Amino acid sequence: MLPFSVEQFFEVFASYNKAIWPAQIVALLMGALALVLLFRRSRLSDEVIAGILAAMWAWTGIAYHLMFFATINKLAYGFGALFTLQAAALAYVGLFQRRLTFGASNAPIAWIGVAFVLYAAVIYPLVGVVAGHAPAELPAFGVTPCPVVIFTFGMLLLTIRPVPRLLLIIPILWSLIGGSAAILLRVPQDWLLLVSGIVSVALLAGREQRLVTASSQ
């Protein structure tokens, strides 16, 4: 049983979207930049993409969870801490250790990654509108939890080297939390969240195993 009603849940999004405008546009531009950098590589492409992901997780943890969602759900303080921790992990691994290498390819895992990215940015809000929600109360790309997590899974599938498992723990945890809550809250666009977590972890684990096998031969 959730400690808030469906109406309260969407009222928070409406208030949040109004308060942060035009951050939603900035987030879309950042997502577009990350996608462009996959195809137009530069010396700092990997660091910029990692920085974009870290910024989205940090913003969502602080601005959404701690400042808005916590008004109806005290668990949001814990969620905010987890999102902020994930932001720090992405910044550390991607910016300081430089262990994230992104790149486009024709491999099936990459196409699934692109599909997740496009779903988070384009299809996600359309599903919400079709489900009967007003645009003003929809979870927005790059600044709310579920689209951020789906986008992150998509970008991690678009890496060309093994992804540190540390970066998968919190996203898969949220995919379980958000994916299960989507049914109770009547948010059909979040149904893919659970699937994206399971599929991403399986594909990344399989790719890593193939890379290990290939390097040992």
Side-chain angles (χ1 to χ4, degrees):
M1 189 69 179
L2 297 172
F4 50 86
S5 67
V6 174
E7 291 74 20
Q8 287 177 310
F9 180 70
F10 285 104
E11 285 172 2
V12 166
F13 278 116
S15 299
Y16 175 66
N17 284 329
K18 182 178 180 180
I20 68 170
W21 177 263
Q24 299 91 330
I25 302 300
V26 175
L28 280 170
L29 293 175
M30 291 170 63
L33 175 61
L35 197 58
V36 168
L37 290 175
L38 289 169
F39 299 93
R40 297 181 63 87
R41 300 281 301 166
S42 70
R43 185 174 60 88
L44 295 176
S45 291
D46 297 328
E47 288 79 6
V48 172
I49 295 173
I52 288 172
L53 290 175
M56 289 181 174
W57 280 83
W59 176 283
T60 304
I62 297 170
Y64 174 73
H65 277 306
L66 298 183
M67 299 177 66
F68 281 83
F69 192 36
T71 60
I72 62 170
N73 186 5
K74 298 309 177 185
L75 288 177
Y77 290 112
F79 297 153
L82 286 176
F83 270 66
T84 305
L85 182 60
Q86 178 70 12
L90 284 163
Y92 179 70
V93 172
L95 300 179
F96 295 98
Q97 292 188 327
R98 296 185 176 181
R99 293 174 60 192
L100 287 176
T101 305
F102 299 90
S105 73
N106 287 321
I109 188 174
W111 284 106
I112 294 173
V114 170
F116 284 169
V117 167
L118 294 179
Y119 180 87
V122 180
I123 301 175
Y124 185 99
L126 295 179
V127 174
V129 171
V130 171
H133 299 297
E137 63 182 22
L138 288 174
F141 171 80
V143 293
T144 55
C146 297
V148 165
V149 174
I150 296 172
F151 178 67
T152 300
F153 279 131
M155 294 305 298
L156 292 180
L157 290 177
L158 286 161
T159 55
I160 55 177
R161 292 182 182 175
V163 174
R165 295 177 183 178
L166 168 70
L167 297 182
L168 297 174
I169 297 173
I170 294 176
I172 190 64
L173 178 61
W174 187 261
S175 75
L176 297 173
I177 295 172
S180 59
I183 298 174
L184 295 174
L185 293 170
R186 300 196 290 274
V187 188
Q189 61 266 43
D190 283 345
W191 293 348
L192 183 71
L193 181 63
L194 182 58
V195 176
S196 69
I198 296 171
V199 169
S200 297
V201 170
L203 289 174
L204 290 170
R207 186 186 67 181
E208 183 175 346
Q209 182 59 43
R210 289 192 297 273
L211 291 173
V212 170
T213 302
S215 64
S216 62
Q217 292 177 346

